[in-house]
Amino acid sequence: MQQQSKDPLHGKTLEMILNELVERFGWGELGARIRINCFNDNPTVSSSLKFLRKTPWARKKVEDLYIDHCTR
């Protein structure tokens, strides 16, 4: 019998998480909720992923927003 992970991010890539947030909120709302330039200044998934992968505090904010709004 396999155990299910209780981690809400289990099996989710950062790209999947970002795409879900953009679909749910749009770039404008996402940029208002998490104030980082890659969401507010000519945003793209590619440039945002590049920044988030190098910036742990920003990635945590994105993951926390995802957990709060997309896993219920």
Side-chain angles (χ1 to χ4, degrees):
M1 186 168 195
Q2 289 183 345
Q3 271 188 302
Q4 293 271 324
S5 174
K6 293 186 182 195
D7 179 4
L9 301 176
H10 180 77
K12 297 281 187 177
T13 65
L14 183 57
E15 184 173 6
M16 292 166 67
I17 291 168
L18 183 58
N19 281 325
E20 273 192 61
L21 289 172
V22 170
E23 187 176 311
R24 182 177 186 107
F25 297 114
W27 288 111
E29 178 67 21
L30 192 55
R33 289 174 179 261
I34 303 173
R35 295 186 164 272
I36 52 179
N37 284 342
C38 66
F39 292 165
N40 291 308
D41 185 24
N42 196 21
T44 66
V45 170
S46 175
S47 66
S48 296
L49 287 172
K50 194 173 192 178
F51 176 77
L52 293 170
R53 287 181 177 131
K54 293 190 290 185
T55 316
W57 64 265
R59 182 180 183 141
K60 172 127 176 59
K61 286 181 180 253
V62 168
E63 290 172 345
D64 289 347
L65 182 65
Y66 176 81
I67 289 169
D68 289 345
H69 293 282
C70 297
T71 59
R72 293 182 191 172

